[in-house]
PDB file of all heavy atoms in Angstrom:
ATOM      1  N   HIS A   1     -89.816 -64.509 -11.895  1.00  0.00           N
ATOM      2  CA  HIS A   1     -90.779 -65.066 -10.890  1.00  0.00           C
ATOM      3  C   HIS A   1     -92.165 -64.516 -11.100  1.00  0.00           C
ATOM      4  O   HIS A   1     -93.044 -65.010 -10.456  1.00  0.00           O
ATOM      5  CB  HIS A   1     -90.175 -64.729  -9.363  1.00  0.00           C
ATOM      6  CG  HIS A   1     -90.179 -63.322  -9.169  1.00  0.00           C
ATOM      7  ND1 HIS A   1     -89.028 -62.595  -8.658  1.00  0.00           N
ATOM      8  CD2 HIS A   1     -91.180 -62.218  -9.091  1.00  0.00           C
ATOM      9  CE1 HIS A   1     -89.302 -61.338  -8.434  1.00  0.00           C
ATOM     10  NE2 HIS A   1     -90.502 -61.128  -8.645  1.00  0.00           N
ATOM     11  N   ALA A   2     -92.390 -63.427 -11.860  1.00  0.00           N
ATOM     12  CA  ALA A   2     -93.631 -62.955 -12.231  1.00  0.00           C
ATOM     13  C   ALA A   2     -94.441 -63.809 -13.215  1.00  0.00           C
ATOM     14  O   ALA A   2     -95.654 -63.699 -13.228  1.00  0.00           O
ATOM     15  CB  ALA A   2     -93.529 -61.522 -12.812  1.00  0.00           C
ATOM     16  N   TYR A   3     -93.706 -64.773 -13.796  1.00  0.00           N
ATOM     17  CA  TYR A   3     -94.359 -65.469 -14.992  1.00  0.00           C
ATOM     18  C   TYR A   3     -93.907 -66.904 -15.197  1.00  0.00           C
ATOM     19  O   TYR A   3     -94.516 -67.664 -16.002  1.00  0.00           O
ATOM     20  CB  TYR A   3     -94.292 -64.692 -16.429  1.00  0.00           C
ATOM     21  CG  TYR A   3     -92.856 -64.481 -16.799  1.00  0.00           C
ATOM     22  CD1 TYR A   3     -92.271 -65.418 -17.632  1.00  0.00           C
ATOM     23  CD2 TYR A   3     -92.160 -63.356 -16.458  1.00  0.00           C
ATOM     24  CE1 TYR A   3     -90.988 -65.296 -18.214  1.00  0.00           C
ATOM     25  CE2 TYR A   3     -90.855 -63.232 -17.033  1.00  0.00           C
ATOM     26  CZ  TYR A   3     -90.352 -64.061 -17.982  1.00  0.00           C
ATOM     27  OH  TYR A   3     -89.046 -63.948 -18.369  1.00  0.00           O
ATOM     28  N   TYR A   4     -92.807 -67.371 -14.588  1.00  0.00           N
ATOM     29  CA  TYR A   4     -92.178 -68.579 -15.094  1.00  0.00           C
ATOM     30  C   TYR A   4     -93.108 -69.899 -14.884  1.00  0.00           C
ATOM     31  O   TYR A   4     -92.960 -70.775 -15.606  1.00  0.00           O
ATOM     32  CB  TYR A   4     -90.818 -68.717 -14.406  1.00  0.00           C
ATOM     33  CG  TYR A   4     -89.902 -69.607 -15.128  1.00  0.00           C
ATOM     34  CD1 TYR A   4     -89.147 -69.074 -16.173  1.00  0.00           C
ATOM     35  CD2 TYR A   4     -89.845 -71.020 -15.023  1.00  0.00           C
ATOM     36  CE1 TYR A   4     -88.211 -69.758 -16.991  1.00  0.00           C
ATOM     37  CE2 TYR A   4     -88.955 -71.692 -15.723  1.00  0.00           C
ATOM     38  CZ  TYR A   4     -88.251 -71.097 -16.662  1.00  0.00           C
ATOM     39  OH  TYR A   4     -87.388 -72.027 -17.493  1.00  0.00           O
ATOM     40  N   LEU A   5     -93.719 -69.920 -13.727  1.00  0.00           N
ATOM     41  CA  LEU A   5     -94.446 -71.038 -13.486  1.00  0.00           C
ATOM     42  C   LEU A   5     -95.634 -71.287 -14.593  1.00  0.00           C
ATOM     43  O   LEU A   5     -95.704 -72.571 -15.056  1.00  0.00           O
ATOM     44  CB  LEU A   5     -95.375 -70.953 -12.207  1.00  0.00           C
ATOM     45  CG  LEU A   5     -94.777 -71.257 -10.909  1.00  0.00           C
ATOM     46  CD1 LEU A   5     -95.664 -71.020  -9.708  1.00  0.00           C
ATOM     47  CD2 LEU A   5     -94.232 -72.644 -10.896  1.00  0.00           C
ATOM     48  N   LYS A   6     -96.218 -70.318 -15.282  1.00  0.00           N
ATOM     49  CA  LYS A   6     -97.151 -70.495 -16.386  1.00  0.00           C
ATOM     50  C   LYS A   6     -96.482 -70.441 -17.744  1.00  0.00           C
ATOM     51  O   LYS A   6     -96.818 -71.269 -18.590  1.00  0.00           O
ATOM     52  CB  LYS A   6     -98.239 -69.455 -16.132  1.00  0.00           C
ATOM     53  CG  LYS A   6     -99.383 -69.579 -17.192  1.00  0.00           C
ATOM     54  CD  LYS A   6    -100.553 -68.590 -16.907  1.00  0.00           C
ATOM     55  CE  LYS A   6    -101.502 -68.783 -18.070  1.00  0.00           C
ATOM     56  NZ  LYS A   6    -102.156 -70.124 -18.017  1.00  0.00           N
ATOM     57  N   TYR A   7     -95.547 -69.477 -17.804  1.00  0.00           N
ATOM     58  CA  TYR A   7     -95.034 -69.259 -19.264  1.00  0.00           C
ATOM     59  C   TYR A   7     -93.608 -69.754 -19.368  1.00  0.00           C
ATOM     60  O   TYR A   7     -93.160 -69.631 -20.552  1.00  0.00           O
ATOM     61  CB  TYR A   7     -95.079 -67.751 -19.435  1.00  0.00           C
ATOM     62  CG  TYR A   7     -96.546 -67.152 -19.441  1.00  0.00           C
ATOM     63  CD1 TYR A   7     -97.085 -66.525 -18.267  1.00  0.00           C
ATOM     64  CD2 TYR A   7     -97.350 -67.318 -20.544  1.00  0.00           C
ATOM     65  CE1 TYR A   7     -98.345 -66.017 -18.281  1.00  0.00           C
ATOM     66  CE2 TYR A   7     -98.759 -66.859 -20.548  1.00  0.00           C
ATOM     67  CZ  TYR A   7     -99.226 -66.238 -19.457  1.00  0.00           C
ATOM     68  OH  TYR A   7    -100.485 -65.790 -19.415  1.00  0.00           O
ATOM     69  N   GLN A   8     -92.968 -70.262 -18.422  1.00  0.00           N
ATOM     70  CA  GLN A   8     -91.632 -70.679 -18.488  1.00  0.00           C
ATOM     71  C   GLN A   8     -90.703 -69.637 -19.133  1.00  0.00           C
ATOM     72  O   GLN A   8     -90.714 -68.447 -18.711  1.00  0.00           O
ATOM     73  CB  GLN A   8     -91.510 -72.018 -19.240  1.00  0.00           C
ATOM     74  CG  GLN A   8     -91.992 -73.163 -18.487  1.00  0.00           C
ATOM     75  CD  GLN A   8     -93.521 -73.280 -18.517  1.00  0.00           C
ATOM     76  OE1 GLN A   8     -94.089 -73.309 -19.624  1.00  0.00           O
ATOM     77  NE2 GLN A   8     -94.167 -73.374 -17.284  1.00  0.00           N
ATOM     78  N   ASN A   9     -90.067 -69.929 -20.242  1.00  0.00           N
ATOM     79  CA  ASN A   9     -89.158 -68.895 -20.893  1.00  0.00           C
ATOM     80  C   ASN A   9     -89.887 -68.067 -21.893  1.00  0.00           C
ATOM     81  O   ASN A   9     -89.272 -67.248 -22.697  1.00  0.00           O
ATOM     82  CB  ASN A   9     -87.972 -69.672 -21.615  1.00  0.00           C
ATOM     83  CG  ASN A   9     -88.382 -70.492 -22.673  1.00  0.00           C
ATOM     84  OD1 ASN A   9     -89.479 -71.181 -22.543  1.00  0.00           O
ATOM     85  ND2 ASN A   9     -87.661 -70.632 -23.681  1.00  0.00           N
ATOM     86  N   LYS A  10     -91.223 -68.149 -22.051  1.00  0.00           N
ATOM     87  CA  LYS A  10     -91.904 -67.433 -23.091  1.00  0.00           C
ATOM     88  C   LYS A  10     -92.295 -66.124 -22.620  1.00  0.00           C
ATOM     89  O   LYS A  10     -93.681 -65.736 -22.435  1.00  0.00           O
ATOM     90  CB  LYS A  10     -93.152 -68.362 -23.435  1.00  0.00           C
ATOM     91  CG  LYS A  10     -92.714 -69.715 -24.058  1.00  0.00           C
ATOM     92  CD  LYS A  10     -93.859 -70.516 -24.330  1.00  0.00           C
ATOM     93  CE  LYS A  10     -93.445 -71.952 -24.809  1.00  0.00           C
ATOM     94  NZ  LYS A  10     -94.506 -72.818 -24.934  1.00  0.00           N
ATOM     95  N   ARG A  11     -91.483 -65.127 -22.390  1.00  0.00           N
ATOM     96  CA  ARG A  11     -91.866 -63.862 -21.873  1.00  0.00           C
ATOM     97  C   ARG A  11     -92.799 -63.165 -22.827  1.00  0.00           C
ATOM     98  O   ARG A  11     -93.688 -62.486 -22.269  1.00  0.00           O
ATOM     99  CB  ARG A  11     -90.540 -63.016 -21.573  1.00  0.00           C
ATOM    100  CG  ARG A  11     -90.896 -61.592 -20.927  1.00  0.00           C
ATOM    101  CD  ARG A  11     -89.677 -60.769 -20.952  1.00  0.00           C
ATOM    102  NE  ARG A  11     -88.681 -61.103 -20.109  1.00  0.00           N
ATOM    103  CZ  ARG A  11     -87.610 -60.236 -19.787  1.00  0.00           C
ATOM    104  NH1 ARG A  11     -87.395 -59.071 -20.454  1.00  0.00           N
ATOM    105  NH2 ARG A  11     -86.701 -60.657 -18.937  1.00  0.00           N
ATOM    106  N   PRO A  12     -92.681 -63.203 -24.128  1.00  0.00           N
ATOM    107  CA  PRO A  12     -93.646 -62.541 -24.994  1.00  0.00           C
ATOM    108  C   PRO A  12     -95.045 -62.980 -24.719  1.00  0.00           C
ATOM    109  O   PRO A  12     -95.968 -62.177 -24.863  1.00  0.00           O
ATOM    110  CB  PRO A  12     -93.094 -62.908 -26.312  1.00  0.00           C
ATOM    111  CG  PRO A  12     -91.733 -63.094 -26.217  1.00  0.00           C
ATOM    112  CD  PRO A  12     -91.605 -63.780 -24.784  1.00  0.00           C
ATOM    113  N   ASP A  13     -95.285 -64.167 -24.326  1.00  0.00           N
ATOM    114  CA  ASP A  13     -96.621 -64.679 -24.056  1.00  0.00           C
ATOM    115  C   ASP A  13     -97.159 -64.119 -22.896  1.00  0.00           C
ATOM    116  O   ASP A  13     -98.453 -63.693 -22.783  1.00  0.00           O
ATOM    117  CB  ASP A  13     -96.669 -66.283 -24.017  1.00  0.00           C
ATOM    118  CG  ASP A  13     -96.426 -66.903 -25.271  1.00  0.00           C
ATOM    119  OD1 ASP A  13     -96.343 -66.252 -26.367  1.00  0.00           O
ATOM    120  OD2 ASP A  13     -96.327 -68.094 -25.343  1.00  0.00           O
ATOM    121  N   TYR A  14     -96.423 -63.978 -21.850  1.00  0.00           N
ATOM    122  CA  TYR A  14     -96.732 -63.303 -20.629  1.00  0.00           C
ATOM    123  C   TYR A  14     -97.121 -61.807 -20.914  1.00  0.00           C
ATOM    124  O   TYR A  14     -98.161 -61.264 -20.269  1.00  0.00           O
ATOM    125  CB  TYR A  14     -95.663 -63.554 -19.557  1.00  0.00           C
ATOM    126  CG  TYR A  14     -95.694 -62.448 -18.435  1.00  0.00           C
ATOM    127  CD1 TYR A  14     -96.658 -62.591 -17.443  1.00  0.00           C
ATOM    128  CD2 TYR A  14     -94.672 -61.536 -18.343  1.00  0.00           C
ATOM    129  CE1 TYR A  14     -96.627 -61.658 -16.350  1.00  0.00           C
ATOM    130  CE2 TYR A  14     -94.598 -60.613 -17.320  1.00  0.00           C
ATOM    131  CZ  TYR A  14     -95.632 -60.710 -16.332  1.00  0.00           C
ATOM    132  OH  TYR A  14     -95.656 -59.872 -15.174  1.00  0.00           O
ATOM    133  N   ILE A  15     -96.291 -61.155 -21.645  1.00  0.00           N
ATOM    134  CA  ILE A  15     -96.486 -59.736 -21.921  1.00  0.00           C
ATOM    135  C   ILE A  15     -97.844 -59.481 -22.688  1.00  0.00           C
ATOM    136  O   ILE A  15     -98.645 -58.678 -22.477  1.00  0.00           O
ATOM    137  CB  ILE A  15     -95.246 -59.160 -22.783  1.00  0.00           C
ATOM    138  CG1 ILE A  15     -94.012 -59.237 -21.997  1.00  0.00           C
ATOM    139  CG2 ILE A  15     -95.626 -57.781 -23.382  1.00  0.00           C
ATOM    140  CD1 ILE A  15     -92.821 -58.928 -22.674  1.00  0.00           C
ATOM    141  N   SER A  16     -98.088 -60.457 -23.616  1.00  0.00           N
ATOM    142  CA  SER A  16     -99.356 -60.457 -24.416  1.00  0.00           C
ATOM    143  C   SER A  16    -100.551 -60.683 -23.474  1.00  0.00           C
ATOM    144  O   SER A  16    -101.509 -59.942 -23.468  1.00  0.00           O
ATOM    145  CB  SER A  16     -99.359 -61.482 -25.524  1.00  0.00           C
ATOM    146  OG  SER A  16    -100.558 -61.473 -26.282  1.00  0.00           O
ATOM    147  N   ALA A  17    -100.486 -61.630 -22.591  1.00  0.00           N
ATOM    148  CA  ALA A  17    -101.594 -61.905 -21.571  1.00  0.00           C
ATOM    149  C   ALA A  17    -101.792 -60.694 -20.775  1.00  0.00           C
ATOM    150  O   ALA A  17    -102.956 -60.345 -20.293  1.00  0.00           O
ATOM    151  CB  ALA A  17    -101.129 -63.109 -20.821  1.00  0.00           C
ATOM    152  N   PHE A  18    -100.719 -59.836 -20.423  1.00  0.00           N
ATOM    153  CA  PHE A  18    -100.840 -58.779 -19.383  1.00  0.00           C
ATOM    154  C   PHE A  18    -101.877 -57.757 -20.035  1.00  0.00           C
ATOM    155  O   PHE A  18    -102.708 -57.102 -19.045  1.00  0.00           O
ATOM    156  CB  PHE A  18     -99.542 -58.128 -19.387  1.00  0.00           C
ATOM    157  CG  PHE A  18     -99.456 -56.661 -18.726  1.00  0.00           C
ATOM    158  CD1 PHE A  18     -99.711 -56.551 -17.412  1.00  0.00           C
ATOM    159  CD2 PHE A  18     -99.198 -55.528 -19.567  1.00  0.00           C
ATOM    160  CE1 PHE A  18     -99.607 -55.250 -16.791  1.00  0.00           C
ATOM    161  CE2 PHE A  18     -99.179 -54.307 -19.053  1.00  0.00           C
ATOM    162  CZ  PHE A  18     -99.423 -54.130 -17.611  1.00  0.00           C
ATOM    163  N   TRP A  19    -102.034 -57.650 -21.233  1.00  0.00           N
ATOM    164  CA  TRP A  19    -103.002 -56.566 -21.730  1.00  0.00           C
ATOM    165  C   TRP A  19    -104.457 -56.836 -21.491  1.00  0.00           C
ATOM    166  O   TRP A  19    -105.344 -56.007 -21.406  1.00  0.00           O
ATOM    167  CB  TRP A  19    -102.735 -56.298 -23.171  1.00  0.00           C
ATOM    168  CG  TRP A  19    -101.466 -55.813 -23.497  1.00  0.00           C
ATOM    169  CD1 TRP A  19    -100.493 -56.395 -24.269  1.00  0.00           C
ATOM    170  CD2 TRP A  19    -100.997 -54.438 -23.229  1.00  0.00           C
ATOM    171  NE1 TRP A  19     -99.352 -55.544 -24.359  1.00  0.00           N
ATOM    172  CE2 TRP A  19     -99.567 -54.360 -23.749  1.00  0.00           C
ATOM    173  CE3 TRP A  19    -101.620 -53.359 -22.655  1.00  0.00           C
ATOM    174  CZ2 TRP A  19     -98.903 -53.163 -23.658  1.00  0.00           C
ATOM    175  CZ3 TRP A  19    -100.775 -52.136 -22.492  1.00  0.00           C
ATOM    176  CH2 TRP A  19     -99.487 -52.055 -23.042  1.00  0.00           C
ATOM    177  N   ASN A  20    -104.708 -58.157 -21.043  1.00  0.00           N
ATOM    178  CA  ASN A  20    -106.067 -58.537 -20.704  1.00  0.00           C
ATOM    179  C   ASN A  20    -106.357 -58.247 -19.347  1.00  0.00           C
ATOM    180  O   ASN A  20    -107.587 -58.362 -18.950  1.00  0.00           O
ATOM    181  CB  ASN A  20    -106.253 -60.178 -20.887  1.00  0.00           C
ATOM    182  CG  ASN A  20    -106.131 -60.440 -22.374  1.00  0.00           C
ATOM    183  OD1 ASN A  20    -107.064 -60.349 -23.100  1.00  0.00           O
ATOM    184  ND2 ASN A  20    -104.973 -60.995 -22.726  1.00  0.00           N
ATOM    185  N   VAL A  21    -105.458 -57.891 -18.459  1.00  0.00           N
ATOM    186  CA  VAL A  21    -105.755 -57.558 -17.030  1.00  0.00           C
ATOM    187  C   VAL A  21    -105.408 -56.173 -16.536  1.00  0.00           C
ATOM    188  O   VAL A  21    -105.277 -56.030 -15.466  1.00  0.00           O
ATOM    189  CB  VAL A  21    -105.142 -58.705 -16.063  1.00  0.00           C
ATOM    190  CG1 VAL A  21    -105.903 -60.019 -16.358  1.00  0.00           C
ATOM    191  CG2 VAL A  21    -103.638 -58.860 -16.309  1.00  0.00           C
ATOM    192  N   VAL A  22    -105.015 -55.290 -17.539  1.00  0.00           N
ATOM    193  CA  VAL A  22    -104.638 -54.046 -17.075  1.00  0.00           C
ATOM    194  C   VAL A  22    -105.777 -53.193 -16.562  1.00  0.00           C
ATOM    195  O   VAL A  22    -106.917 -53.191 -17.072  1.00  0.00           O
ATOM    196  CB  VAL A  22    -104.056 -53.162 -18.269  1.00  0.00           C
ATOM    197  CG1 VAL A  22    -103.857 -51.799 -17.994  1.00  0.00           C
ATOM    198  CG2 VAL A  22    -102.764 -53.719 -18.806  1.00  0.00           C
ATOM    199  N   ASN A  23    -105.512 -52.592 -15.415  1.00  0.00           N
ATOM    200  CA  ASN A  23    -106.610 -51.726 -14.750  1.00  0.00           C
ATOM    201  C   ASN A  23    -106.469 -50.348 -15.209  1.00  0.00           C
ATOM    202  O   ASN A  23    -105.909 -49.446 -14.596  1.00  0.00           O
ATOM    203  CB  ASN A  23    -106.378 -51.775 -13.189  1.00  0.00           C
ATOM    204  CG  ASN A  23    -107.485 -51.056 -12.530  1.00  0.00           C
ATOM    205  OD1 ASN A  23    -108.297 -50.425 -13.106  1.00  0.00           O
ATOM    206  ND2 ASN A  23    -107.434 -51.100 -11.147  1.00  0.00           N
ATOM    207  N   TRP A  24    -107.150 -50.216 -16.375  1.00  0.00           N
ATOM    208  CA  TRP A  24    -107.042 -48.809 -17.030  1.00  0.00           C
ATOM    209  C   TRP A  24    -107.708 -47.700 -16.072  1.00  0.00           C
ATOM    210  O   TRP A  24    -107.374 -46.545 -16.369  1.00  0.00           O
ATOM    211  CB  TRP A  24    -107.692 -48.786 -18.430  1.00  0.00           C
ATOM    212  CG  TRP A  24    -106.780 -49.684 -19.434  1.00  0.00           C
ATOM    213  CD1 TRP A  24    -107.021 -50.861 -19.887  1.00  0.00           C
ATOM    214  CD2 TRP A  24    -105.602 -49.195 -19.870  1.00  0.00           C
ATOM    215  NE1 TRP A  24    -106.048 -51.131 -20.777  1.00  0.00           N
ATOM    216  CE2 TRP A  24    -105.119 -50.149 -20.771  1.00  0.00           C
ATOM    217  CE3 TRP A  24    -104.753 -48.012 -19.793  1.00  0.00           C
ATOM    218  CZ2 TRP A  24    -103.870 -50.193 -21.499  1.00  0.00           C
ATOM    219  CZ3 TRP A  24    -103.626 -47.890 -20.418  1.00  0.00           C
ATOM    220  CH2 TRP A  24    -103.120 -48.897 -21.250  1.00  0.00           C
ATOM    221  N   GLU A  25    -108.554 -48.083 -15.266  1.00  0.00           N
ATOM    222  CA  GLU A  25    -109.311 -47.032 -14.399  1.00  0.00           C
ATOM    223  C   GLU A  25    -108.144 -46.516 -13.523  1.00  0.00           C
ATOM    224  O   GLU A  25    -107.997 -45.244 -13.251  1.00  0.00           O
ATOM    225  CB  GLU A  25    -110.292 -47.731 -13.654  1.00  0.00           C
ATOM    226  CG  GLU A  25    -111.543 -48.090 -14.401  1.00  0.00           C
ATOM    227  CD  GLU A  25    -112.591 -48.775 -13.605  1.00  0.00           C
ATOM    228  OE1 GLU A  25    -112.391 -48.964 -12.436  1.00  0.00           O
ATOM    229  OE2 GLU A  25    -113.691 -48.991 -14.228  1.00  0.00           O
ATOM    230  N   GLU A  26    -107.270 -47.268 -13.008  1.00  0.00           N
ATOM    231  CA  GLU A  26    -106.054 -46.922 -12.126  1.00  0.00           C
ATOM    232  C   GLU A  26    -105.093 -46.091 -12.994  1.00  0.00           C
ATOM    233  O   GLU A  26    -104.637 -45.176 -12.408  1.00  0.00           O
ATOM    234  CB  GLU A  26    -105.479 -48.051 -11.486  1.00  0.00           C
ATOM    235  CG  GLU A  26    -104.286 -47.848 -10.513  1.00  0.00           C
ATOM    236  CD  GLU A  26    -104.732 -47.050  -9.265  1.00  0.00           C
ATOM    237  OE1 GLU A  26    -105.920 -47.083  -8.921  1.00  0.00           O
ATOM    238  OE2 GLU A  26    -103.930 -46.343  -8.620  1.00  0.00           O
ATOM    239  N   VAL A  27    -104.770 -46.524 -14.120  1.00  0.00           N
ATOM    240  CA  VAL A  27    -103.900 -45.746 -14.966  1.00  0.00           C
ATOM    241  C   VAL A  27    -104.367 -44.456 -15.340  1.00  0.00           C
ATOM    242  O   VAL A  27    -103.706 -43.398 -15.171  1.00  0.00           O
ATOM    243  CB  VAL A  27    -103.664 -46.587 -16.430  1.00  0.00           C
ATOM    244  CG1 VAL A  27    -102.674 -45.826 -17.270  1.00  0.00           C
ATOM    245  CG2 VAL A  27    -103.113 -47.947 -16.133  1.00  0.00           C
ATOM    246  N   ASP A  28    -105.643 -44.365 -15.581  1.00  0.00           N
ATOM    247  CA  ASP A  28    -106.309 -43.011 -15.788  1.00  0.00           C
ATOM    248  C   ASP A  28    -106.107 -42.114 -14.631  1.00  0.00           C
ATOM    249  O   ASP A  28    -105.850 -41.015 -14.669  1.00  0.00           O
ATOM    250  CB  ASP A  28    -107.953 -43.200 -16.064  1.00  0.00           C
ATOM    251  CG  ASP A  28    -108.008 -43.529 -17.570  1.00  0.00           C
ATOM    252  OD1 ASP A  28    -107.367 -43.156 -18.536  1.00  0.00           O
ATOM    253  OD2 ASP A  28    -109.000 -44.386 -17.775  1.00  0.00           O
ATOM    254  N   LYS A  29    -106.404 -42.643 -13.458  1.00  0.00           N
ATOM    255  CA  LYS A  29    -106.368 -41.888 -12.165  1.00  0.00           C
ATOM    256  C   LYS A  29    -104.938 -41.333 -12.026  1.00  0.00           C
ATOM    257  O   LYS A  29    -104.721 -40.196 -11.664  1.00  0.00           O
ATOM    258  CB  LYS A  29    -106.807 -42.775 -10.981  1.00  0.00           C
ATOM    259  CG  LYS A  29    -106.737 -41.945  -9.564  1.00  0.00           C
ATOM    260  CD  LYS A  29    -107.269 -42.840  -8.500  1.00  0.00           C
ATOM    261  CE  LYS A  29    -106.200 -43.954  -8.060  1.00  0.00           C
ATOM    262  NZ  LYS A  29    -106.783 -44.681  -6.940  1.00  0.00           N
ATOM    263  N   ARG A  30    -103.915 -42.324 -12.190  1.00  0.00           N
ATOM    264  CA  ARG A  30    -102.555 -41.820 -12.010  1.00  0.00           C
ATOM    265  C   ARG A  30    -102.181 -40.760 -13.053  1.00  0.00           C
ATOM    266  O   ARG A  30    -101.365 -39.957 -12.815  1.00  0.00           O
ATOM    267  CB  ARG A  30    -101.546 -43.042 -12.088  1.00  0.00           C
ATOM    268  CG  ARG A  30    -101.826 -43.907 -10.819  1.00  0.00           C
ATOM    269  CD  ARG A  30    -100.903 -45.131 -10.788  1.00  0.00           C
ATOM    270  NE  ARG A  30    -101.191 -45.888  -9.598  1.00  0.00           N
ATOM    271  CZ  ARG A  30    -100.677 -45.691  -8.358  1.00  0.00           C
ATOM    272  NH1 ARG A  30     -99.829 -44.608  -8.318  1.00  0.00           N
ATOM    273  NH2 ARG A  30    -100.929 -46.393  -7.299  1.00  0.00           N
ATOM    274  N   TYR A  31    -102.695 -40.981 -14.262  1.00  0.00           N
ATOM    275  CA  TYR A  31    -102.259 -39.988 -15.379  1.00  0.00           C
ATOM    276  C   TYR A  31    -102.995 -38.595 -14.973  1.00  0.00           C
ATOM    277  O   TYR A  31    -102.204 -37.592 -15.135  1.00  0.00           O
ATOM    278  CB  TYR A  31    -102.981 -40.482 -16.625  1.00  0.00           C
ATOM    279  CG  TYR A  31    -102.759 -39.428 -17.842  1.00  0.00           C
ATOM    280  CD1 TYR A  31    -101.507 -39.127 -18.333  1.00  0.00           C
ATOM    281  CD2 TYR A  31    -103.782 -38.818 -18.397  1.00  0.00           C
ATOM    282  CE1 TYR A  31    -101.272 -38.253 -19.395  1.00  0.00           C
ATOM    283  CE2 TYR A  31    -103.746 -38.010 -19.496  1.00  0.00           C
ATOM    284  CZ  TYR A  31    -102.442 -37.710 -19.861  1.00  0.00           C
ATOM    285  OH  TYR A  31    -102.185 -36.770 -20.872  1.00  0.00           O
ATOM    286  N   HIS A  32    -104.095 -38.589 -14.519  1.00  0.00           N
ATOM    287  CA  HIS A  32    -104.825 -37.285 -14.149  1.00  0.00           C
ATOM    288  C   HIS A  32    -103.991 -36.579 -13.033  1.00  0.00           C
ATOM    289  O   HIS A  32    -103.792 -35.432 -13.058  1.00  0.00           O
ATOM    290  CB  HIS A  32    -106.164 -37.551 -13.616  1.00  0.00           C
ATOM    291  CG  HIS A  32    -106.877 -36.390 -13.120  1.00  0.00           C
ATOM    292  ND1 HIS A  32    -107.444 -35.390 -13.881  1.00  0.00           N
ATOM    293  CD2 HIS A  32    -107.232 -35.972 -11.831  1.00  0.00           C
ATOM    294  CE1 HIS A  32    -108.023 -34.422 -13.116  1.00  0.00           C
ATOM    295  NE2 HIS A  32    -107.920 -34.795 -11.810  1.00  0.00           N
ATOM    296  N   ASN A  33    -103.524 -37.440 -11.965  1.00  0.00           N
ATOM    297  CA  ASN A  33    -102.831 -36.878 -10.870  1.00  0.00           C
ATOM    298  C   ASN A  33    -101.476 -36.244 -11.342  1.00  0.00           C
ATOM    299  O   ASN A  33    -100.988 -35.272 -10.729  1.00  0.00           O
ATOM    300  CB  ASN A  33    -102.675 -37.963  -9.810  1.00  0.00           C
ATOM    301  CG  ASN A  33    -103.963 -38.182  -9.093  1.00  0.00           C
ATOM    302  OD1 ASN A  33    -104.922 -37.380  -9.076  1.00  0.00           O
ATOM    303  ND2 ASN A  33    -104.054 -39.370  -8.437  1.00  0.00           N
ATOM    304  N   ALA A  34    -100.882 -37.075 -12.321  1.00  0.00           N
ATOM    305  CA  ALA A  34     -99.496 -36.663 -12.789  1.00  0.00           C
ATOM    306  C   ALA A  34     -99.569 -35.356 -13.540  1.00  0.00           C
ATOM    307  O   ALA A  34     -98.482 -34.655 -13.567  1.00  0.00           O
ATOM    308  CB  ALA A  34     -98.891 -37.702 -13.639  1.00  0.00           C
ATOM    309  N   LEU A  35    -100.668 -34.992 -14.090  1.00  0.00           N
ATOM    310  CA  LEU A  35    -100.790 -33.795 -14.753  1.00  0.00           C
ATOM    311  C   LEU A  35    -101.024 -32.445 -13.992  1.00  0.00           C
ATOM    312  O   LEU A  35    -100.865 -31.451 -14.390  1.00  0.00           O
ATOM    313  CB  LEU A  35    -101.921 -33.885 -15.840  1.00  0.00           C
ATOM    314  CG  LEU A  35    -101.852 -34.814 -16.956  1.00  0.00           C
ATOM    315  CD1 LEU A  35    -103.066 -34.873 -17.893  1.00  0.00           C
ATOM    316  CD2 LEU A  35    -100.604 -34.552 -17.814  1.00  0.00           C
ATOM    317  N   LYS A  36    -101.276 -32.662 -12.697  1.00  0.00           N
ATOM    318  CA  LYS A  36    -101.502 -31.588 -11.817  1.00  0.00           C
ATOM    319  C   LYS A  36    -100.380 -30.797 -11.550  1.00  0.00           C
ATOM    320  O   LYS A  36     -99.198 -31.254 -11.523  1.00  0.00           O
ATOM    321  CB  LYS A  36    -102.099 -32.080 -10.433  1.00  0.00           C
ATOM    322  CG  LYS A  36    -103.480 -32.732 -10.517  1.00  0.00           C
ATOM    323  CD  LYS A  36    -103.845 -33.222  -9.261  1.00  0.00           C
ATOM    324  CE  LYS A  36    -105.299 -33.969  -9.330  1.00  0.00           C
ATOM    325  NZ  LYS A  36    -105.695 -34.486  -7.986  1.00  0.00           N
TER     326      LYS A  36
END
């Protein structure tokens, strides 16, 4: 349900597209907090 409307059975295409919208600022924040 996270990708089927646009990508149908092409999960690899959805995964590739994901890298264009990753919020690395949030990932950084969570990484910093996890190290405490």
